[in-house]
Amino acid sequence: TKIAAMAFAYCSNLERIRLSENTESIPLSTFTLCKKLKKIVFRGVVSSIASKAFWGCENLTEIELSDNLVTVDMSAFLNCASLKTVRE
């Protein structure tokens, strides 16, 4: 399953994400400025998270990573000041 770059950018009321188990990657700025987003669960085959994928998700507190995750761009979670928990 493919997600387009910026597919959910600026969705200001988006609070949770549950990705398809077939989602391979999170492209550039996919969830940029989803300010109410609190939790992300990566399941299945997600192997990469691109630049600014979650930039400015200021209420994001928890992430559960996929076992297949190989690459996370260093700016993928830029300005996610509330992020406290990252689980494998």
Side-chain angles (χ1 to χ4, degrees), residues 9 12 14 21 25 30 33 45 50 55-56 60 64-67 77 82 84 86:
S12 58
L14 184 65
E21 295 212 6
S25 64
T30 303
L33 292 171
V45 296
W55 178 77
L60 182 61
E64 285 186 38
L65 300 173
S66 163
D67 291 338
F77 295 96
S82 298
K84 304 284 187 231
V86 178

Side-chain angles (χ1 to χ4, degrees), residues 52-71:
K52 299 180 183 174
F54 295 94
W55 178 77
C57 294
E58 56 193 36
N59 286 303
L60 182 61
T61 60
E62 185 176 355
I63 301 169
E64 285 186 38
L65 300 173
S66 163
D67 291 338
N68 295 315
L69 191 61
V70 175
T71 306

Side-chain angles (χ1 to χ4, degrees), residues 10 23-24 39 56 58 68 71 75 79:
Y10 308 101
T23 303
E24 298 172 9
K39 182 177 181 177
E58 56 193 36
N68 295 315
T71 306
S75 65
N79 292 331

Side-chain angles (χ1 to χ4, degrees), residues 3-52:
I3 300 175
M6 298 186 73
F8 299 97
Y10 308 101
C11 290
S12 58
N13 291 315
L14 184 65
E15 292 183 19
R16 289 177 130 175
I17 301 166
R18 184 175 176 192
L19 299 173
S20 161
E21 295 212 6
N22 297 320
T23 303
E24 298 172 9
S25 64
I26 309 299
L28 175 72
S29 301
T30 303
F31 297 99
T32 290
L33 292 171
C34 292
K35 294 188 176 199
K36 290 186 180 179
L37 184 62
K38 296 176 183 175
K39 182 177 181 177
I40 307 163
V41 177
F42 297 106
R43 294 207 168 103
V45 296
V46 173
S47 63
S48 66
I49 303 173
S51 174
K52 299 180 183 174

